[in-house]
Structures are given as structure tokens and as C-alpha cells.
Amino acid sequence: MLSNDGVVAVERALSVLDCFRPGAEHLALADFAQRLPLHKTTIFRLLNSLARCGYVVREADGRYGLGPRVLFLARVYERGFDLSAVVMPILEKLSADTGESAAYYVEGGEPGQRLCLFRHQPHEGLHSQVIAGSVMPPDKSSTGQVFAIWAQGTQQRADTDLPIFSCGARDPYTSSWSVPVIGQDDLFVGALTVAGPSERLKTVDAARFEALILDRADELSRRLGASTEMRGVLYGRG
């Protein structure tokens, strides 16, 4: 039987690469030692192996930077990346766990607009009628508030509790929870929303729903490249 245990040396080498980030593109050996629970000698050997394979380069001043092999893999990833293959499983799981509609929104073509890019709902029962492809104007719904705060910047982020909840904001019969989704460089990329009839949502375990949407937003943001630190700040996870 094959084991799920990783190879320690490989995981250590990847942890070395994870030390690079915006604002820390060039690192000395001492910088790695501060960031990693590894001896300097071990880090030095790992850096030499990564340099031989083109994943890091040693610069003239003795510091290290990412090598061309990383850029090559990034290009391969970009060409094979399918956003729907990342988002839809998250929506399907969230919808199955809550019994309500789950949707992913991105910015629309005009300032303030938002586009329902992907959506999933259970096959039975009464549900929100927003469909994928719908363009929504600014409003006070939970999703509208997420975009007002993280996309348009017309509201303050400070002291904003997540997820945001609204009842009867877009129409008098619908309630929803929404959270921002972040990606590469910890930038806002969209909103994850659970919506359903207000009368039904009044009877659900709100704390459970909130925990579920935060978990799924954390998972989606991780898969889109958000940092552990920012995910921890937004979702209390990571």
C-alpha cells in the first residue's frame, strides 16, 4: 500500500521557496534562517540543490532570488488554469452543506456592477432566482456590501464582521451571507455568497452557516493564491 507521508527533504525545499514574497524578493541566508525552523547548514544545502535545478539563483551580493524555472512553471499553470474547475466544486459543496444556493461574483463591466459568474443550487425546493451571467447594480445586499468595501472602497473595512448578512435588501423575500475572496498578492477577486428565502433562513443555525461559508472562502482563497496570513485575518483560519 502506498503511503501518504511526504518526503521531508522535498517539503523543506518547498518551505524555502515559500519564504519569497512581494517585498522579500531577494533574501540572504540569514533571512531564511529567521523564517524557517531549520539549521543554516541545512538551508544552505537546500538552496544549492534548488539553484542547480534553476528554482533559485544566487546573486552577486550573495543573496538569493527565484530562478527561471519558477517562471516557466507559472506559465504552464496559467495556460492550464480553469477557474470554473476551482470554483464550482466549492459552490457545490457549500450548497450541499447548507441546502441553499451558492454563488461566486466578480466585478462587472461598469463601476459598481457585479457579475454572477458561477452558481449552484439544490435540485429541489424554492431558491434564489439569480442565475449565472446576471449583472447586478450596487445595493445593500450582503454581496453588494462586500463589493462596496473591497472593490469600490466606498465603505470602511475596519470592524467589518464576516460574513456579512442581509435580509430583504435586494428583494423583500431573500436573505444572504457573503464574504470577500482574495487571490494572488492578497488582492480582492470576488465574493462568495449563500442565499435563500428569508422565511427559511430564519430557522437555520446561523452560526453553522457562517462557519461553513468562512471555511469555503478560506479554501477558495488558498487555491487562488492568497497568503496564509491574510486568510487568517479575514476568515480566522489558514
Side-chain angles (χ1 to χ4, degrees):
M1 180 181 295
L2 295 177
S3 171
N4 287 326
D5 294 338
V7 178
V8 173
V10 174
E11 293 176 355
R12 286 179 172 177
L14 293 174
S15 72
V16 170
L17 293 178
D18 281 341
C19 289
F20 294 104
R21 60 193 60 204
E25 296 89 354
H26 309 280
L27 299 173
L29 182 59
D31 297 322
F32 290 103
Q34 290 179 348
R35 291 166 167 79
L36 297 168
L38 300 173
H39 193 276
K40 278 189 177 181
T41 303
T42 300
I43 297 171
F44 183 70
R45 289 201 302 266
L46 291 169
L47 285 166
N48 283 341
S49 294
L50 290 167
R52 283 195 296 271
C53 296
Y55 289 95
V56 300
V57 292
R58 189 175 186 186
E59 298 162 351
D61 61 2
R63 295 188 300 169
Y64 294 86
L66 290 172
R69 188 67 184 170
V70 176
L71 178 60
F72 171 76
L73 291 180
R75 293 289 183 260
V76 174
Y77 174 77
E78 286 179 349
R79 293 186 64 176
F81 183 76
D82 180 0
L83 183 60
S84 66
V86 175
V87 176
M88 284 306 299
I90 301 289
L91 298 184
E92 290 167 6
K93 182 170 179 56
L94 185 57
S95 182
D97 289 341
T98 62
E100 301 297 342
S101 300
Y104 178 69
Y105 290 83
V106 297
E107 290 189 85
E110 299 294 332
Q113 289 183 344
R114 63 187 187 274
L115 166 69
C116 180
L117 191 60
F118 303 112
R119 182 175 179 273
H120 186 273
Q121 72 173 42
H123 296 296
E124 298 180 355
L126 180 65
H127 298 283
S128 169
Q129 296 304 303
V130 176
I131 62 174
S134 298
V135 177
M136 315 297 289
D139 56 34
K140 296 297 185 181
S141 68
S142 63
T143 314
Q145 292 182 61
V146 166
F147 277 85
I149 296 170
W150 276 271
Q152 286 87 51
T154 57
Q155 297 181 27
Q156 296 297 317
R157 296 188 187 185
D159 301 323
T160 300
D161 293 328
L162 295 178
I164 296 173
F165 177 76
S166 68
C167 178
R170 187 178 61 80
D171 69 62
Y173 309 109
T174 302
S175 295
S176 62
W177 285 272
S178 299
V179 289
V181 175
I182 52 176
Q184 288 288 341
D185 299 327
D186 292 337
L187 298 176
F188 172 77
V189 294
L192 185 63
T193 297
V194 172
S198 297
E199 286 300 316
R200 187 166 65 227
L201 292 186
K202 288 179 182 178
T203 67
V204 304
D205 183 344
R208 174 177 171 272
F209 271 49
E210 291 176 354
L212 287 169
I213 192 170
L214 288 171
D215 281 341
R216 298 289 79 79
D218 178 59
E219 181 182 355
L220 181 55
S221 293
R222 176 183 60 80
R223 297 192 64 182
L224 293 176
S227 71
T228 301
E229 292 79 8
M230 183 58 75
R231 288 163 39 221
V233 169
L234 283 181
Y235 314 123
R237 283 133 171 87

